[in-house]
Amino acid sequence: MGATLTALHVTAGTAGLLLGPLWLAARVRGAAGRSLAAGYQVAVAAVAVTGGLLAVAEPGLGWLVPVAVLTALLAVGGALARRRDWPRWRTLQPHLLGGSYVALVTGLLVASTGDPVWWAVPALVGQVPIALAKRRLHHRTLLA
C-alpha cells in the first residue's frame, strides 16, 4: 500500500507542478483557465491527502500533516479570493496560490535531495514571481 500511495503522491505532485505554470500562463493571456485551475486544485488536494497519509504512516513525520493541510488551504484560498471578490484579493491571491506552489516545489526539492536548505530557498525565490503577479494585478486595476 505504501508504494501505491507514494506513486499517487508523486503523480499528483508532478501534475500540480505542471498545471500551476500553465494556469498562470492562461490567466496572463486573459483566458479563464478554469480546467487548468480545477486540475491544479485537484492535484494539490491529492498531494495534501497522500502526503498527510504518508506522514502519519512514517514514524516521526506526523509534523508534516499540518504542512499538507496548509498547502491545500493556500490553494483553495487563492482560488476563492478572486472568485468571491475578497477585500484586497489582488494582494492575497498571489501569496495564497504562490504559497501553495512554493510548497509543491519545496516538497520536491527536499524529498529529492534531503538537504534542509531547500526548506527556505523556494520560499525566498518564490517572492519574485509573487511580487510580479501582485504588481500585474494592481496595474490592471489602475488601467480599468
Side-chain angles (χ1 to χ4, degrees), residues 103-132:
L104 293 179
V105 172
T106 301
L108 169 68
L109 294 173
V110 170
S112 298
T113 68
D115 191 338
V117 72
W118 295 112
W119 278 101
V121 171
L124 295 173
V125 173
Q127 295 310 304
V128 173
I130 289 170
L132 291 173

Side-chain angles (χ1 to χ4, degrees), residues 32-138:
R34 286 192 175 93
S35 60
L36 294 169
Y40 180 76
Q41 293 294 329
V42 168
V44 173
V47 167
V49 169
T50 57
L53 292 171
L54 288 166
V56 169
E58 187 67 33
L61 294 183
W63 64 272
L64 287 170
V65 171
V67 174
V69 171
L70 180 60
T71 300
L73 290 175
L74 288 168
V76 170
L80 290 176
R82 181 182 189 137
R83 192 173 314 139
R84 301 256 171 102
D85 197 27
W86 289 355
R88 297 178 31 112
W89 73 263
R90 287 173 181 81
T91 297
L92 289 172
Q93 187 186 45
H95 283 286
L96 294 168
L97 288 175
S100 71
Y101 195 79
V102 164
L104 293 179
V105 172
T106 301
L108 169 68
L109 294 173
V110 170
S112 298
T113 68
D115 191 338
V117 72
W118 295 112
W119 278 101
V121 171
L124 295 173
V125 173
Q127 295 310 304
V128 173
I130 289 170
L132 291 173
K134 283 172 50 177
R135 181 177 178 187
R136 185 181 63 80
L137 286 172
H138 285 285

